[in-house]
Every structure is written in structure tokens, then in C-alpha cells.
Amino acid sequence: MHLIVNIFIALVWLVNGLLCKLFNLVPRHQMIVQKILGYQYGVFITKIIGISEILMSVWVISNIESHICSIIQIVIIMIMNIIEFFYARRLLLFGRMNIVIAILLCCIIYLNTFAV
């Protein structure tokens, strides 16, 4: 079960990084970055975030230092979602519920790493 959940978590990072940000198949992601950091930086920063998310998916699958990886994932997810909640709420797919989904993902990451 641990491996299946790891694959799921890695796929979340990979899909968001590769498809949503690098390939810009979901322009809303770039719009959120532009709203928060400024239009002139949106494309570049979105690509950097996308590459970082792809690297995170590789780290998750590698299972190297999984405790540190999980803590970093949880911190990144919560910081990102709190910032988006206050500065780009109207652009979020699920609006105010995005934060709930983020918390659920963080719980899955936590339980998969620390409760096994």
C-alpha cells in the first residue's frame, strides 16, 4: 500500500509540474503565479515551479530521505495554498475548498510516511 500511495503522490507532483506548468495545459496555474508575483515574471516562475515539481516527483519515487521529503512536501503545499487562498482565491479550481484538498493531501503524505 505504501508504494501505491507513493506513486499517487509522485503523480500529483508530476502532472502538476509537467502538464499544468511546463506544457501550460492548465493556464490557470500561470495566471495564479502572475497574480501573486506579477505578470512579467509569470511565465518564467511558472516554468521553474514546474521543474521543481517534477524533481519532487522523482524524490518521492526514489524514497531517499522520505521523512525529510514528506516534511518539505507538507510545508510547500501548505505555504503555497495559504498564499493562493489569500491572493488568488478566485483563480483556484475549487475556490475556498482548495485549502481543504491541500490539507487532505498533506494528511495522506504524513500518514504514508510516519504512520507505517
Side-chain angles (χ1 to χ4, degrees):
M1 188 64 164
H2 175 74
L3 177 62
I4 292 169
V5 176
N6 256 10
I7 291 170
F8 166 77
I9 294 166
L11 282 174
V12 169
W13 287 108
L14 182 64
V15 166
N16 276 286
L18 184 63
L19 301 180
C20 297
K21 294 189 180 75
L22 283 185
F23 292 163
N24 199 28
L25 295 180
V26 183
R28 178 178 41 76
H29 287 260
Q30 185 172 306
M31 292 167 60
I32 291 168
V33 174
Q34 290 171 327
K35 172 106 172 124
I36 295 168
L37 299 175
Y39 187 81
Q40 67 273 26
Y41 305 111
V43 174
F44 177 72
I45 298 295
T46 303
K47 301 294 183 203
I48 296 298
I49 293 169
I51 292 167
S52 300
E53 289 178 338
I54 293 167
L55 292 173
M56 182 63 79
S57 74
V58 172
W59 190 8
V60 170
I61 286 296
S62 76
N63 216 28
I64 296 171
E65 298 290 344
S66 61
H67 289 78
I68 295 170
C69 180
S70 294
I71 291 167
I72 290 172
Q73 287 179 81
I74 292 167
V75 169
I76 288 170
I77 290 168
M78 291 312 300
I79 289 172
M80 175 184 65
N81 276 273
I82 290 168
I83 291 170
E84 291 171 348
F85 182 84
F86 287 107
Y87 293 101
R89 186 179 314 145
R90 293 185 320 143
L91 294 171
L92 299 176
L93 182 61
F94 301 110
R96 294 177 184 204
M97 288 302 294
N98 256 53
I99 197 82
V100 174
I101 294 166
I103 291 168
L104 289 173
L105 179 58
C106 289
C107 288
I108 290 169
I109 293 167
Y110 178 84
L111 292 171
N112 191 51
T113 302
F114 297 102
V116 287

